[in-house]
Amino acid sequence: MEIVVLNGSPKGDLSVTMQYVHFVQKKFPQHGLKILNVAQRIKAIEKDESLFRKIVDAIGAAEGVLWAFPVYFLLVPSGYKRFIELIRERGFDGAFKDKYSASLSTSIHFYDHIAHNYINAISDDLDMKYVGGFSPDMYDLLKEKERKRLILFASHFFETIEQKMHTPKNFGALVQSAFEYVPGNEKRKIATGNKKVCVLTDLNDTKANLTRMVQHFSGVFHENLDVINLNEVDIKGGCQGCIQCAYDGRCFYDDKDGYAEFFNTRVKGADVLVFVGSITDRYLSSRWKLFFDRSFFNNHAPVLTGKQIGFIVSGPLRQVPNLRQALEAFCEIQQANVIDFITDECENSTEIDALLENLAERLIRFSEEGYVKPAGFLGVGGRKIFRDDIYGRLRFPFRADHYYYKRNGLYDFPQRDYKTRARNAMMMLLTRIPSMRKEIYTRRIKKEMVKPLEKLLDRD
């Protein structure tokens, strides 16, 4: 059978992900896997509709589609995101209808589930028959056990198509609203003081709810804000995955466009950041994805530490928890503080006015207080993945990360706590004695767990 592989890597055939595809090709020579480098050629595809039509024709002639991509910044690369947007913009949804699909990514397992949820949802939106996803580590192909696992994944995909099996829809269709937000007069004014507030948008419609929301939000402040439209930032292209920046933080585009200077001065230079965007398919726009991807010249260092962040979103965010989790994870990994997400979903202009004004007030107050809530699993788990890989296999080539982690105490491995190690060794020996084990686990352990905290409470 014929399977179209939509390659989401900006590196084309040199992609790690494509080596997994080539392995499948080698093991299943009876099937034709046609690889189309859509992310690498996205600029040409945008300009030449006939080239886009050839891709769509190939999909129409195939029995299945394999979405294959590296995970970039908690999702697919920006060029791949743009290709997905073009499907709807140019009205070619029908070419994907009823086609079987699956997703294959490679990564270090940093929020790869978000990327696969996204592709699953896109497949459902296109009325495809999504079979499932396969998300190995970058170098799992070197392990015999993982090669066997990949062979099983591919065989299940092919068998599902051959036997025309039914597949479930995992994501409901997004319900869009026709509500028109009409802002009122600001009921309060807020002084920014010595805090710099930067509002980042991708606005392109002066009559949209999002434009009015930004206008009302901006009008709350006494001082002028730094409002930046990402469409006006000089960004020549997406992240190339070349990791040239890994040595010293200098991007491949360093002297070719204005992104690094913009990020280093206006984004890093702000105390408060407000991200403004509309739901586009199951994410924000591909321009926003471009912004996030290109920020990778900072590598895995948390460069937004201590900043207050708010989100103003137009569209059904409540219906896309995957997107909210991606944005929250980004902020927690950056050690920044997410204040809130304000949307137009309540369909009440007065309520939206109040929410925007409350957001403005809390952004400034929390910035003045230096308040950052503790990271949850999204931040702690993500940072530990980075920590372990930068300490180990990624120390080279990510030299800049390694020195940053050493300087800032991010190599906080618990095994360096020799006092705890000694205590654990002693207690494990004691619990081998039945009477001591009973004493510890049935009578003392609950009290011992709270004892350090009780001492603190008694002292303060």
Side-chain angles (χ1 to χ4, degrees):
M1 71 179 71
E2 187 77 12
I3 304 295
V4 165
V5 179
L6 295 175
N7 180 8
S9 173
K11 294 184 283 189
D13 292 331
L14 282 176
S15 163
V16 169
T17 313
M18 284 303 102
Q19 308 319 303
Y20 284 74
V21 173
H22 294 325
F23 180 80
V24 173
Q25 284 180 312
K26 187 174 181 179
K27 294 298 180 180
F28 296 88
Q30 69 273 32
H31 300 306
L33 270 64
K34 185 173 184 177
I35 300 172
L36 302 177
N37 296 326
V38 297
Q40 187 184 48
R41 304 187 66 194
I42 190 58
K43 288 191 174 181
I45 292 169
E46 280 189 290
K47 293 176 182 177
D48 185 352
E49 191 162 341
S50 65
L51 179 57
F52 182 80
R53 188 177 291 273
K54 288 179 182 178
I55 295 170
V56 172
D57 289 344
I59 291 167
E63 281 82 15
V65 173
L66 179 62
W67 303 91
F69 55 91
V71 177
Y72 276 25
F73 238 92
L74 294 82
L75 203 79
V76 302
S78 61
Y80 211 39
K81 172 72 168 65
R82 181 61 187 140
F83 174 78
I84 291 169
E85 290 176 358
L86 288 173
I87 296 169
R88 282 279 167 86
E89 288 180 16
R90 294 179 176 174
F92 284 102
D93 310 42
F96 293 80
K97 182 178 172 58
D98 292 330
K99 297 292 180 184
Y100 283 90
S101 70
S103 53
L104 166 64
S105 73
T106 55
S107 67
I108 63 169
H109 295 307
F110 183 78
Y111 290 101
D112 47 347
H113 71 288
I114 288 180
H116 281 268
N117 285 342
Y118 171 75
I119 290 296
N120 186 170
I122 292 298
S123 294
D124 287 352
D125 289 343
L126 292 171
D127 207 11
M128 304 179 81
K129 298 175 180 179
Y130 184 75
V131 176
F134 191 79
S135 182
D137 180 85
M138 289 174 62
Y139 292 108
D140 273 354
L141 197 60
L142 300 176
K143 304 171 185 175
E144 183 180 1
K145 178 182 177 181
E146 300 306 324
R147 291 194 294 272
K148 289 179 179 178
R149 201 197 303 257
L150 176 58
I151 290 169
L152 287 173
F153 164 75
S155 65
H156 292 162
F157 180 41
F158 297 141
E159 288 169 10
T160 300
I161 299 172
E162 289 171 338
Q163 297 175 22
K164 295 181 169 50
M165 295 182 184
H166 291 270
T167 61
K169 289 285 190 290
N170 296 315
F171 294 87
L174 297 182
V175 179
Q176 303 289 346
S177 171
F179 167 73
E180 183 177 339
Y181 165 60
V182 180
N185 295 324
E186 299 85 8
K187 291 185 170 57
R188 64 181 117 170
K189 288 288 185 179
I190 298 169
T192 58
N194 63 349
K195 300 300 179 182
K196 295 180 180 178
V197 181
C198 178
V199 179
L200 299 171
T201 81
D202 62 345
L203 297 174
N204 54 24
D205 184 348
T206 58
K207 297 180 181 179
N209 282 355
L210 196 63
T211 301
R212 300 188 187 110
M213 291 169 79
V214 172
Q215 289 170 346
H216 188 84
F217 176 81
S218 301
V220 173
F221 294 93
H222 282 301
E223 297 86 354
N224 292 326
L225 310 184
D226 186 15
V227 181
I228 304 168
N229 193 318
L230 295 176
N231 294 307
E232 298 171 1
V233 177
D234 179 21
I235 310 177
K236 289 292 190 290
C239 176
Q240 296 297 300
C242 64
I243 62 173
Q244 182 174 312
C245 58
Y247 181 78
D248 59 4
R250 289 177 60 86
C251 180
F252 162 79
Y253 291 99
D254 203 40
D255 57 353
K256 298 178 178 66
D257 67 16
Y259 180 85
E261 181 182 2
F262 144 75
F263 193 94
N264 285 329
T265 57
R266 300 175 77 176
V267 177
K268 286 185 183 178
D271 301 291
V272 172
L273 293 168
V274 183
F275 295 163
V276 181
S278 296
I279 302 292
T280 306
D281 55 61
R282 298 284 177 151
Y283 192 74
L284 302 178
S285 69
S286 56
R287 192 69 177 179
W288 263 114
K289 190 61 176 59
L290 185 63
F291 165 84
F292 287 121
D293 284 4
R294 283 291 304 276
S295 71
F296 188 67
F297 77 91
N298 295 291
N299 299 313
H300 305 88
V303 295
L304 303 181
T305 299
K307 298 190 187 302
Q308 304 297 323
I309 298 181
F311 291 91
I312 300 175
V313 179
S314 180
L317 182 62
R318 296 172 191 164
Q319 300 174 47
V320 197
N322 199 55
L323 168 57
R324 178 162 182 151
Q325 185 178 109
L327 297 174
E328 288 176 336
F330 163 74
C331 295
E332 288 200 12
I333 292 297
Q334 288 292 323
Q335 298 179 11
N337 191 46
V338 180
I339 300 295
D340 220 334
F341 291 77
I342 308 302
T343 76
D344 52 3
E345 293 171 284
C346 69
E347 301 191 357
N348 182 312
S349 295
T350 303
E351 177 71 8
I352 294 171
D353 286 349
L355 291 170
L356 291 169
E357 292 170 22
N358 290 341
L359 174 64
E361 190 273 331
R362 284 188 295 159
L363 284 165
I364 300 302
R365 188 178 84 239
F366 287 6
S367 183
E368 291 173 343
E369 295 171 347
Y371 173 69
V372 176
K373 59 181 175 284
F377 174 79
L378 299 179
V380 175
R383 285 203 299 271
K384 288 186 176 182
I385 288 176
F386 285 168
R387 179 200 67 185
D388 291 357
D389 268 14
I390 297 300
Y391 184 83
R393 61 179 178 170
L394 294 185
R395 186 180 305 193
F396 173 79
F398 286 97
R399 173 183 179 274
D401 276 339
H402 171 61
Y403 288 117
Y404 180 92
Y405 278 37
K406 283 185 69 175
R407 285 194 308 271
N408 292 276
L410 297 180
Y411 289 144
D412 58 345
F413 296 89
Q415 60 265 35
R416 291 185 176 183
D417 185 348
Y418 295 108
K419 181 179 178 181
T420 298
R421 289 171 63 178
R423 185 181 69 243
N424 287 341
M426 181 183 71
M427 295 305 297
M428 290 180 75
L429 284 172
L430 287 174
T431 54
R432 290 184 178 182
I433 304 170
S435 60
M436 290 298 297
R437 184 166 61 249
K438 183 177 181 180
E439 173 70 16
I440 291 168
Y441 283 104
T442 63
R443 298 187 181 95
R444 299 188 58 175
I445 197 163
K446 288 190 284 188
K447 180 67 175 175
E448 293 298 324
M449 287 174 68
V450 301
K451 185 182 288 185
L453 304 175
E454 287 177 335
K455 288 181 179 179
L456 174 68
L457 293 171
D458 290 341
R459 186 177 73 240
D460 291 356

